[in-house]
Amino acid sequence: MNTEAGRQAKFNQLAESYGTDLYRYAMWICGNDALAKDLVQETFLRAWKAMDSLKDFKAAKSWLITILRREYARTFERKVPKFTDVDTVVIPEDSELEPDDRTEIRQLRQSILTLAPKYREPLMMQVVLGYSCQEISVALDISKSAVMTQLFRAREQLKVKLQKDGVTGNVHELF
Amino acid sequence: MSMNFSEFILKLGAEPRNRDPEFLSARQSSPEFENAALEAGLFEDKLERAILISAPDGLLDEIKAIGLRPEPPARRTKWWPMAMAASVLIAVGAVGITWKTSKSWTSVEEYVVSHYRHDGEKFTELADGTSATDIQTVLSELNVEAAPALADIVGLIKYCPTPDGKGVHMILNTQTGPVTVIYMPETDVVDREMLAFDGLEAILVDMKKGSAAIIGPNEQRVTSLYAIVQDSILPLPGSS
Protein backbone atom coordinates (compact mmCIF):
# COMPACT_ATOMS: atom_id res chain seq x y z
CA MET A 1 0.00 0.00 0.00
CA ASN A 2 1.62 3.28 -1.10
CA THR A 3 1.81 6.33 1.15
CA GLU A 4 -1.09 8.19 -0.45
CA ALA A 5 -3.37 5.14 -0.37
CA GLY A 6 -2.33 4.52 3.21
CA ARG A 7 -3.15 8.08 4.15
CA GLN A 8 -6.57 7.80 2.51
CA ALA A 9 -7.21 4.50 4.26
CA LYS A 10 -6.32 6.02 7.62
CA PHE A 11 -8.57 9.00 6.91
CA ASN A 12 -11.45 6.74 5.89
CA GLN A 13 -11.03 4.87 9.14
CA LEU A 14 -11.28 8.17 11.03
CA ALA A 15 -14.45 9.04 9.13
CA GLU A 16 -16.04 5.64 9.78
CA SER A 17 -15.00 5.58 13.43
CA TYR A 18 -15.86 9.11 14.44
CA GLY A 19 -17.91 10.83 11.73
CA THR A 20 -21.31 9.96 13.18
CA ASP A 21 -20.36 10.84 16.75
CA LEU A 22 -18.88 14.13 15.64
CA TYR A 23 -22.08 14.98 13.81
CA ARG A 24 -24.18 14.06 16.84
CA TYR A 25 -22.01 16.13 19.13
CA ALA A 26 -22.01 19.10 16.75
CA MET A 27 -25.77 18.86 16.27
CA TRP A 28 -26.51 18.94 19.98
CA ILE A 29 -24.00 21.66 20.68
CA CYS A 30 -25.08 24.08 17.98
CA GLY A 31 -28.69 22.93 17.50
CA ASN A 32 -28.56 23.57 13.78
CA ASP A 33 -28.31 20.71 11.28
CA ALA A 34 -26.71 22.71 8.47
CA LEU A 35 -24.13 24.20 10.80
CA ALA A 36 -23.44 20.80 12.35
CA LYS A 37 -22.70 19.32 8.92
CA ASP A 38 -20.48 22.25 8.07
CA LEU A 39 -18.60 21.92 11.34
CA VAL A 40 -18.03 18.22 10.81
CA GLN A 41 -16.85 18.67 7.25
CA GLU A 42 -14.57 21.54 8.21
CA THR A 43 -13.20 19.44 11.06
CA PHE A 44 -12.34 16.57 8.77
CA LEU A 45 -10.94 18.93 6.17
CA ARG A 46 -8.52 20.27 8.77
CA ALA A 47 -7.83 16.74 9.93
CA TRP A 48 -6.98 15.68 6.40
CA LYS A 49 -4.46 18.51 6.12
CA ALA A 50 -2.92 17.65 9.48
CA MET A 51 -3.06 13.85 9.18
CA ASP A 52 0.68 13.51 9.48
CA SER A 53 0.55 14.99 12.96
CA LEU A 54 -1.76 12.24 14.21
CA LYS A 55 0.65 9.60 15.44
CA ASP A 56 -1.62 7.66 17.76
CA PHE A 57 -5.01 6.64 16.40
CA LYS A 58 -6.29 6.24 19.96
CA ALA A 59 -5.92 10.01 20.38
CA ALA A 60 -7.91 10.70 17.22
CA LYS A 61 -11.28 11.26 18.88
CA SER A 62 -10.10 13.92 21.29
CA TRP A 63 -8.03 15.47 18.49
CA LEU A 64 -11.05 15.72 16.21
CA ILE A 65 -13.26 17.08 18.99
CA THR A 66 -10.70 19.75 19.79
CA ILE A 67 -10.70 20.84 16.14
CA LEU A 68 -14.50 20.85 16.02
CA ARG A 69 -14.84 22.87 19.22
CA ARG A 70 -12.41 25.45 17.88
CA GLU A 71 -14.37 25.65 14.64
CA TYR A 72 -17.59 26.12 16.57
CA ALA A 73 -16.03 28.86 18.68
CA ARG A 74 -15.15 30.67 15.45
CA THR A 75 -18.78 30.62 14.37
CA PHE A 76 -19.55 33.14 17.06
CA GLU A 77 -17.94 35.61 14.75
CA ARG A 78 -20.58 34.66 12.22
CA LYS A 79 -24.18 35.38 13.05
CA VAL A 80 -25.68 32.04 12.12
CA PRO A 81 -29.27 30.94 12.71
CA LYS A 82 -29.84 29.35 16.04
CA PHE A 83 -31.75 26.26 16.95
CA THR A 84 -33.51 24.19 14.39
CA ASP A 85 -36.28 21.75 15.11
CA VAL A 86 -34.32 18.62 15.89
CA ASP A 87 -37.24 16.50 14.74
CA THR A 88 -36.67 17.70 11.21
CA VAL A 89 -33.24 16.07 11.41
CA VAL A 90 -34.38 12.70 12.61
CA ILE A 91 -34.63 9.61 12.48
CA PRO A 92 -35.98 6.64 10.66
CA GLU A 93 -35.69 4.19 13.55
CA ASP A 94 -38.17 6.32 15.56
CA SER A 95 -40.90 4.76 13.47
CA GLU A 96 -40.20 1.52 15.32
CA LEU A 97 -41.20 3.11 18.63
CA GLU A 98 -44.67 3.18 20.15
CA PRO A 99 -46.47 6.54 19.77
CA ASP A 100 -46.08 7.35 23.48
CA ASP A 101 -42.38 6.58 23.35
CA ARG A 102 -41.98 8.74 20.26
CA THR A 103 -43.69 11.63 22.02
CA GLU A 104 -41.45 11.20 25.04
CA ILE A 105 -38.32 11.10 22.91
CA ARG A 106 -39.44 14.18 21.02
CA GLN A 107 -40.08 16.04 24.27
CA LEU A 108 -36.74 14.94 25.63
CA ARG A 109 -34.94 16.18 22.52
CA GLN A 110 -36.67 19.56 22.73
CA SER A 111 -35.73 19.77 26.40
CA ILE A 112 -32.10 18.95 25.68
CA LEU A 113 -31.91 21.88 23.29
CA THR A 114 -33.14 24.19 26.03
CA LEU A 115 -30.37 23.15 28.43
CA ALA A 116 -27.78 25.84 29.04
CA PRO A 117 -24.53 25.13 27.14
CA LYS A 118 -22.64 24.53 30.38
CA TYR A 119 -24.91 21.55 31.04
CA ARG A 120 -25.47 20.42 27.47
CA GLU A 121 -21.85 20.24 26.43
CA PRO A 122 -20.55 17.96 29.18
CA LEU A 123 -23.65 15.80 28.79
CA MET A 124 -22.95 15.33 25.09
CA MET A 125 -19.30 14.63 25.73
CA GLN A 126 -20.35 11.87 28.08
CA VAL A 127 -23.30 10.33 26.21
CA VAL A 128 -22.23 10.87 22.59
CA LEU A 129 -18.46 10.68 22.88
CA GLY A 130 -18.21 8.33 25.85
CA TYR A 131 -15.89 10.63 27.80
CA SER A 132 -15.31 9.96 31.47
CA CYS A 133 -15.76 12.79 33.95
CA GLN A 134 -11.99 13.14 34.11
CA GLU A 135 -11.75 13.44 30.31
CA ILE A 136 -14.53 16.02 30.27
CA SER A 137 -12.79 18.05 32.96
CA VAL A 138 -9.62 18.12 30.83
CA ALA A 139 -11.48 19.02 27.65
CA LEU A 140 -13.46 21.82 29.30
CA ASP A 141 -10.68 22.89 31.65
CA ILE A 142 -12.85 22.68 34.74
CA SER A 143 -12.60 20.52 37.84
CA LYS A 144 -13.92 16.98 37.88
CA SER A 145 -16.31 17.86 40.71
CA ALA A 146 -17.70 20.72 38.60
CA VAL A 147 -18.22 18.28 35.73
CA MET A 148 -20.09 15.88 37.97
CA THR A 149 -22.30 18.66 39.31
CA GLN A 150 -23.12 19.87 35.82
CA LEU A 151 -23.93 16.37 34.58
CA PHE A 152 -26.12 15.78 37.60
CA ARG A 153 -27.94 19.07 37.09
CA ALA A 154 -28.35 18.44 33.37
CA ARG A 155 -30.16 15.17 34.02
CA GLU A 156 -32.23 16.61 36.85
CA GLN A 157 -33.32 19.53 34.70
CA LEU A 158 -34.36 17.17 31.93
CA LYS A 159 -36.35 15.08 34.40
CA VAL A 160 -38.08 18.20 35.72
CA LYS A 161 -39.05 19.24 32.20
CA LEU A 162 -40.37 15.79 31.39
CA GLN A 163 -42.30 15.71 34.65
CA LYS A 164 -43.95 18.99 33.74
CA ASP A 165 -45.00 17.31 30.50
CA GLY A 166 -46.33 14.44 32.60
CA VAL A 167 -43.76 11.86 31.63
CA THR A 168 -41.49 10.32 34.22
CA GLY A 169 -39.04 10.10 37.04
CA ASN A 170 -38.14 11.20 40.52
CA VAL A 171 -36.26 14.43 40.79
CA HIS A 172 -33.56 14.71 43.37
CA GLU A 173 -32.28 17.91 44.84
CA LEU A 174 -28.94 18.32 46.50
CA PHE A 175 -28.29 21.15 48.86
CA MET B 1 -16.15 4.08 54.06
CA SER B 2 -19.74 3.57 52.87
CA MET B 3 -21.47 6.13 50.72
CA ASN B 4 -24.50 8.02 52.00
CA PHE B 5 -27.60 8.33 49.86
CA SER B 6 -26.92 11.93 48.79
CA GLU B 7 -23.44 11.05 47.61
CA PHE B 8 -24.82 8.05 45.79
CA ILE B 9 -27.50 10.14 44.04
CA LEU B 10 -24.91 12.68 42.91
CA LYS B 11 -22.70 9.95 41.45
CA LEU B 12 -25.74 8.32 39.87
CA GLY B 13 -26.83 11.59 38.27
CA ALA B 14 -23.34 12.27 37.01
CA GLU B 15 -22.44 8.76 35.88
CA PRO B 16 -25.50 6.48 35.66
CA ARG B 17 -23.46 3.73 33.98
CA ASN B 18 -20.83 3.80 36.74
CA ARG B 19 -19.16 0.40 37.28
CA ASP B 20 -16.82 1.56 40.03
CA PRO B 21 -16.62 -1.17 42.75
CA GLU B 22 -17.41 1.29 45.56
CA PHE B 23 -20.44 2.53 43.64
CA LEU B 24 -21.66 -0.99 42.85
CA SER B 25 -21.25 -1.95 46.46
CA ALA B 26 -23.29 1.07 47.58
CA ARG B 27 -25.95 0.19 45.03
CA GLN B 28 -26.34 -3.24 46.53
CA SER B 29 -26.37 -1.96 50.10
CA SER B 30 -30.12 -1.35 50.30
CA PRO B 31 -33.33 -1.44 48.22
CA GLU B 32 -33.44 2.39 48.29
CA PHE B 33 -30.08 2.58 46.53
CA GLU B 34 -30.94 -0.20 44.10
CA ASN B 35 -34.30 1.34 43.15
CA ALA B 36 -32.67 4.72 42.54
CA ALA B 37 -30.08 3.05 40.32
CA LEU B 38 -32.73 1.14 38.35
CA GLU B 39 -34.73 4.30 37.79
CA ALA B 40 -31.62 6.17 36.69
CA GLY B 41 -30.83 3.38 34.27
CA LEU B 42 -34.27 3.59 32.69
CA PHE B 43 -33.98 7.34 32.28
CA GLU B 44 -30.50 6.93 30.82
CA ASP B 45 -31.87 4.47 28.24
CA LYS B 46 -34.37 7.11 27.12
CA LEU B 47 -31.72 9.80 27.10
CA GLU B 48 -29.42 7.76 24.91
CA ARG B 49 -32.26 6.94 22.54
CA ALA B 50 -33.03 10.65 22.25
CA ILE B 51 -29.44 11.80 21.87
CA LEU B 52 -27.88 9.15 19.63
CA ILE B 53 -29.39 10.38 16.37
CA SER B 54 -28.23 9.12 13.00
CA ALA B 55 -25.87 11.04 10.79
CA PRO B 56 -27.44 12.37 7.59
CA ASP B 57 -27.30 10.08 4.59
CA GLY B 58 -24.13 10.51 2.64
CA LEU B 59 -22.26 12.52 5.27
CA LEU B 60 -19.59 9.89 5.84
CA ASP B 61 -19.09 9.49 2.08
CA GLU B 62 -18.72 13.25 1.73
CA ILE B 63 -16.12 13.25 4.49
CA LYS B 64 -14.14 10.45 2.86
CA ALA B 65 -14.28 12.27 -0.45
CA ILE B 66 -12.33 15.13 1.11
CA GLY B 67 -9.19 13.12 0.76
CA LEU B 68 -9.87 12.23 -2.87
CA ARG B 69 -10.01 15.78 -4.19
CA PRO B 70 -6.79 17.65 -4.96
CA GLU B 71 -8.27 20.89 -3.61
CA PRO B 72 -11.53 20.17 -1.77
CA PRO B 73 -14.24 22.74 -2.48
CA ALA B 74 -16.72 23.86 0.13
CA ARG B 75 -20.28 22.75 0.56
CA ARG B 76 -22.20 25.98 0.28
CA THR B 77 -19.20 28.23 0.25
CA LYS B 78 -15.99 27.44 -1.53
CA TRP B 79 -13.43 26.51 1.11
CA TRP B 80 -10.06 26.53 -0.43
CA PRO B 81 -7.06 25.00 1.35
CA MET B 82 -4.73 26.42 -1.25
CA ALA B 83 -1.65 28.51 -1.55
CA MET B 84 -1.76 31.00 -4.38
CA ALA B 85 0.39 33.75 -5.75
CA ALA B 86 -1.48 36.91 -6.74
CA SER B 87 -0.52 40.23 -8.22
CA VAL B 88 -2.37 43.40 -7.30
CA LEU B 89 -2.53 46.53 -9.41
CA ILE B 90 -3.59 49.82 -7.94
CA ALA B 91 -5.57 51.31 -10.84
CA VAL B 92 -5.44 55.03 -10.00
CA GLY B 93 -3.23 56.25 -12.77
CA ALA B 94 0.01 55.45 -10.98
CA VAL B 95 2.67 53.07 -12.15
CA GLY B 96 1.44 49.55 -11.44
CA ILE B 97 2.51 48.19 -8.09
CA THR B 98 2.80 44.46 -7.99
CA TRP B 99 2.12 42.67 -4.78
CA LYS B 100 2.82 38.96 -4.76
CA THR B 101 1.50 37.03 -1.87
CA SER B 102 1.09 33.43 -0.97
CA LYS B 103 -1.90 32.91 1.27
CA SER B 104 -4.05 30.02 2.48
CA TRP B 105 -7.59 30.46 3.69
CA THR B 106 -9.82 27.66 4.79
CA SER B 107 -13.05 29.60 4.45
CA VAL B 108 -14.33 32.65 2.67
CA GLU B 109 -15.14 34.15 6.07
CA GLU B 110 -11.52 33.74 7.16
CA TYR B 111 -10.41 35.28 3.89
CA VAL B 112 -12.64 38.36 4.29
CA VAL B 113 -11.43 39.01 7.83
CA SER B 114 -7.79 38.34 6.98
CA HIS B 115 -7.84 40.46 3.84
CA TYR B 116 -9.49 43.41 5.57
CA ARG B 117 -7.05 43.25 8.45
CA HIS B 118 -4.21 43.34 5.97
CA ASP B 119 -5.44 46.12 3.69
CA GLY B 120 -8.75 47.52 4.79
CA GLU B 121 -7.81 50.63 6.72
CA LYS B 122 -4.87 51.46 4.49
CA PHE B 123 -7.01 51.56 1.35
CA THR B 124 -9.83 53.39 3.05
CA GLU B 125 -7.41 56.25 3.68
CA LEU B 126 -6.33 56.25 0.03
CA ALA B 127 -9.88 56.42 -1.32
CA ASP B 128 -10.06 59.91 -2.80
CA GLY B 129 -11.89 59.15 -5.99
CA THR B 130 -11.18 57.39 -9.22
CA SER B 131 -12.52 57.82 -12.72
CA ALA B 132 -15.36 55.82 -14.14
CA THR B 133 -13.00 54.68 -16.90
CA ASP B 134 -10.59 53.22 -14.38
CA ILE B 135 -13.43 51.37 -12.64
CA GLN B 136 -14.77 49.77 -15.80
CA THR B 137 -11.27 48.96 -17.05
CA VAL B 138 -10.48 47.11 -13.88
CA LEU B 139 -13.81 45.29 -13.73
CA SER B 140 -13.79 44.33 -17.41
CA GLU B 141 -10.84 42.06 -16.77
CA LEU B 142 -13.17 40.08 -14.53
CA ASN B 143 -15.91 40.15 -17.20
CA VAL B 144 -18.15 42.41 -15.17
CA GLU B 145 -19.12 46.07 -15.19
CA ALA B 146 -20.49 48.49 -12.62
CA ALA B 147 -23.81 50.27 -12.98
CA PRO B 148 -23.65 54.05 -12.49
CA ALA B 149 -25.30 53.84 -9.07
CA LEU B 150 -22.19 52.08 -7.81
CA ALA B 151 -19.56 53.49 -10.14
CA ASP B 152 -20.41 57.04 -9.05
CA ILE B 153 -19.41 56.39 -5.46
CA VAL B 154 -16.28 54.29 -5.92
CA GLY B 155 -13.38 56.08 -4.27
CA LEU B 156 -10.76 53.44 -4.93
CA ILE B 157 -10.62 50.20 -6.86
CA LYS B 158 -7.78 47.71 -6.97
CA TYR B 159 -7.25 44.07 -7.76
CA CYS B 160 -6.80 41.76 -4.84
CA PRO B 161 -6.36 38.04 -4.30
CA THR B 162 -9.44 36.06 -3.34
CA PRO B 163 -9.80 32.37 -2.47
CA ASP B 164 -10.59 31.58 -6.09
CA GLY B 165 -8.48 33.99 -8.08
CA LYS B 166 -8.38 37.67 -8.86
CA GLY B 167 -11.00 39.94 -7.38
CA VAL B 168 -11.32 43.60 -6.59
CA HIS B 169 -11.17 45.66 -3.44
CA MET B 170 -13.30 48.81 -3.63
CA ILE B 171 -13.91 51.70 -1.28
CA LEU B 172 -17.33 53.25 -1.64
CA ASN B 173 -17.61 56.86 -0.51
CA THR B 174 -21.17 56.96 0.78
CA GLN B 175 -22.93 59.90 2.41
CA THR B 176 -22.40 58.30 5.81
CA GLY B 177 -18.74 57.47 5.27
CA PRO B 178 -16.50 54.97 3.48
CA VAL B 179 -17.43 51.33 3.13
CA THR B 180 -15.28 48.51 1.78
CA VAL B 181 -16.50 46.08 -0.85
CA ILE B 182 -14.49 43.02 -1.77
CA TYR B 183 -15.75 41.51 -5.00
CA MET B 184 -14.95 37.82 -5.58
CA PRO B 185 -15.98 36.85 -9.11
CA GLU B 186 -15.47 33.09 -8.68
CA THR B 187 -16.49 32.54 -5.06
CA ASP B 188 -19.83 31.40 -3.68
CA VAL B 189 -21.07 32.58 -0.30
CA VAL B 190 -24.04 32.12 1.96
CA ASP B 191 -26.19 35.07 0.94
CA ARG B 192 -26.73 37.67 3.68
CA GLU B 193 -24.39 35.89 6.11
CA MET B 194 -23.16 38.41 8.64
CA LEU B 195 -19.66 38.55 10.11
CA ALA B 196 -18.48 40.56 13.08
CA PHE B 197 -14.83 41.29 13.77
CA ASP B 198 -12.63 44.03 15.22
CA GLY B 199 -15.65 46.24 15.91
CA LEU B 200 -16.80 46.01 12.29
CA GLU B 201 -19.67 44.29 10.57
CA ALA B 202 -19.71 42.57 7.20
CA ILE B 203 -22.44 41.12 5.04
CA LEU B 204 -21.83 38.57 2.30
CA VAL B 205 -23.70 39.08 -0.95
CA ASP B 206 -24.52 36.42 -3.51
CA MET B 207 -24.14 38.12 -6.91
CA LYS B 208 -25.14 37.32 -10.46
CA LYS B 209 -21.49 36.47 -11.00
CA GLY B 210 -19.53 35.52 -7.91
CA SER B 211 -20.06 37.25 -4.61
CA ALA B 212 -19.06 40.22 -2.52
CA ALA B 213 -18.35 41.18 1.06
CA ILE B 214 -19.46 44.62 2.27
CA ILE B 215 -17.53 45.77 5.35
CA GLY B 216 -18.34 48.78 7.47
CA PRO B 217 -18.62 50.15 10.98
CA ASN B 218 -22.11 48.83 11.73
CA GLU B 219 -24.79 46.45 10.52
CA GLN B 220 -27.09 49.19 9.29
CA ARG B 221 -24.39 50.71 7.07
CA VAL B 222 -23.47 47.45 5.36
CA THR B 223 -26.99 46.07 4.98
CA SER B 224 -28.18 49.34 3.47
CA LEU B 225 -25.72 48.77 0.60
CA TYR B 226 -26.67 45.15 0.04
CA ALA B 227 -29.14 45.81 -2.78
CA ILE B 228 -27.05 48.38 -4.61
CA VAL B 229 -23.96 46.16 -4.60
CA GLN B 230 -25.91 43.08 -5.66
CA ASP B 231 -27.67 44.90 -8.47
CA SER B 232 -24.77 47.02 -9.71
CA ILE B 233 -21.96 44.59 -10.51
CA LEU B 234 -23.16 42.77 -13.60
CA PRO B 235 -21.70 40.31 -16.07
CA LEU B 236 -20.52 41.97 -19.28
CA PRO B 237 -23.01 41.44 -22.09
CA GLY B 238 -22.16 38.27 -23.96
CA SER B 239 -19.89 36.90 -21.23
CA SER B 240 -20.64 33.54 -19.48
Side-chain angles (χ1 to χ4, degrees):
Chain A
M1 189 181 281
N2 65 31
T3 304
E4 203 48 42
R7 191 163 182 254
Q8 182 66 46
K10 190 176 165 188
F11 185 73
N12 287 353
Q13 195 184 355
L14 278 184
E16 286 288 344
S17 299
Y18 303 118
T20 299
D21 279 349
L22 251 66
Y23 169 77
R24 285 170 175 157
Y25 177 78
M27 179 62 210
W28 287 114
I29 293 309
C30 71
N32 183 286
D33 173 57
L35 179 56
K37 284 189 278 202
D38 276 355
L39 286 171
V40 170
Q41 293 195 13
E42 179 62 10
T43 296
F44 275 98
L45 180 59
R46 288 180 181 271
W48 171 253
K49 292 190 316 184
M51 280 288 288
D52 295 336
S53 68
L54 179 64
K55 304 295 181 198
D56 179 7
F57 199 85
K58 288 191 218 130
K61 183 161 69 173
S62 60
W63 179 62
L64 290 167
I65 289 297
T66 300
I67 297 172
L68 189 146
R69 292 184 73 235
R70 281 195 193 132
E71 277 307 302
Y72 181 55
R74 287 171 51 177
T75 68
F76 283 110
E77 286 188 4
R78 313 167 199 173
K79 296 178 187 175
V80 292
K82 279 296 184 177
F83 293 156
T84 200
D85 181 356
V86 69
D87 284 333
T88 66
V89 179
V90 193
I91 289 178
E93 49 264 36
D94 277 4
S95 62
E96 295 165 10
L97 298 172
E98 295 295 324
D100 284 349
D101 290 340
R102 259 182 271 150
T103 300
E104 189 177 62
I105 294 297
R106 185 164 56 243
Q107 286 165 341
L108 195 45
R109 285 176 182 146
Q110 297 297 337
S111 300
I112 291 167
L113 287 176
T114 65
L115 283 176
K118 70 175 179 180
Y119 299 129
R120 193 159 16 101
E121 192 168 14
L123 184 65
M124 295 310 146
M125 282 187 166
Q126 185 185 57
V127 177
V128 173
L129 304 176
Y131 278 20
S132 66
C133 289
Q134 179 60 35
E135 287 169 324
I136 296 170
S137 81
V138 169
L140 298 182
D141 195 25
I142 57 177
S143 70
K144 185 178 169 184
S145 62
V147 170
M148 293 188 71
T149 302
Q150 283 163 354
L151 289 170
F152 171 85
R153 286 184 179 155
R155 286 184 170 88
E156 292 304 300
Q157 284 186 20
L158 291 174
K159 286 179 198 169
V160 164
K161 287 179 211 258
L162 287 185
Q163 273 199 337
K164 281 185 183 160
D165 294 330
V167 181
T168 190
N170 283 329
V171 177
H172 303 275
E173 289 181 347
L174 288 185
F175 298 97
Chain B
M1 186 183 293
S2 61
M3 206 181 290
N4 66 38
F5 190 67
S6 290
E7 288 168 335
F8 181 77
I9 290 299
L10 174 60
K11 280 189 183 290
L12 197 57
E15 296 177 291
R17 308 293 195 200
N18 195 330
R19 307 299 297 171
D20 179 87
E22 188 194 359
F23 181 83
L24 291 176
S25 173
R27 174 174 174 157
Q28 289 158 5
S29 65
S30 84
E32 187 186 24
F33 283 61
E34 178 64 25
N35 289 340
L38 284 171
E39 197 180 296
L42 289 173
F43 180 77
E44 197 64 13
D45 289 342
K46 285 181 193 143
L47 194 60
E48 286 174 2
R49 208 178 308 140
I51 286 174
L52 298 179
I53 57 179
S54 302
D57 287 341
L59 180 64
L60 296 190
D61 289 335
E62 282 180 39
I63 292 169
K64 290 176 196 172
I66 287 170
L68 298 173
R69 301 178 206 132
E71 291 181 344
R75 283 75 59 201
R76 292 167 297 143
T77 63
K78 283 195 183 167
W79 299 35
W80 216 251
M82 66 184 217
M84 65 173 282
S87 58
V88 171
L89 213 61
I90 298 181
V92 196
V95 172
I97 298 171
T98 302
W99 169 43
K100 283 189 193 277
T101 183
S102 176
K103 296 267 184 216
S104 289
W105 303 284
T106 55
S107 70
V108 66
E109 293 86 354
E110 181 187 337
Y111 158 74
V112 168
V113 172
S114 165
H115 177 73
Y116 187 88
R117 281 177 177 157
H118 191 274
D119 287 332
E121 288 190 11
K122 177 172 62 183
F123 288 123
T124 301
E125 287 166 14
L126 288 174
D128 56 359
T130 190
S131 75
T133 306
D134 293 324
I135 296 163
Q136 304 301 0
T137 301
V138 170
L139 291 177
S140 66
E141 274 222 23
L142 307 175
N143 290 317
V144 293
E145 61 184 358
L150 187 75
D152 287 349
I153 58 173
V154 173
L156 178 140
I157 185 166
K158 56 174 278 297
Y159 294 121
C160 64
T162 76
D164 302 292
K166 189 191 290 186
V168 292
H169 182 131
M170 289 183 279
I171 305 296
L172 305 184
N173 288 330
T174 75
Q175 288 182 345
T176 47
V179 171
T180 296
V181 174
I182 303 170
Y183 174 60
M184 302 166 278
E186 303 296 332
T187 300
D188 297 327
V189 297
V190 176
D191 193 38
R192 292 181 184 273
E193 180 180 353
M194 298 291 302
L195 311 178
F197 64 98
D198 301 344
L200 300 166
E201 298 271 350
I203 186 169
L204 303 183
V205 185
D206 187 32
M207 314 279 286
K208 292 185 175 58
K209 181 179 188 301
S211 61
I214 308 171
I215 305 163
N218 55 62
E219 186 173 333
Q220 193 275 332
R221 184 90 64 88
V222 299
T223 54
S224 68
L225 290 168
Y226 170 89
I228 192 175
V229 169
Q230 190 179 55
D231 293 342
S232 298
I233 299 180
L234 304 167
L236 283 173
S239 66
S240 57

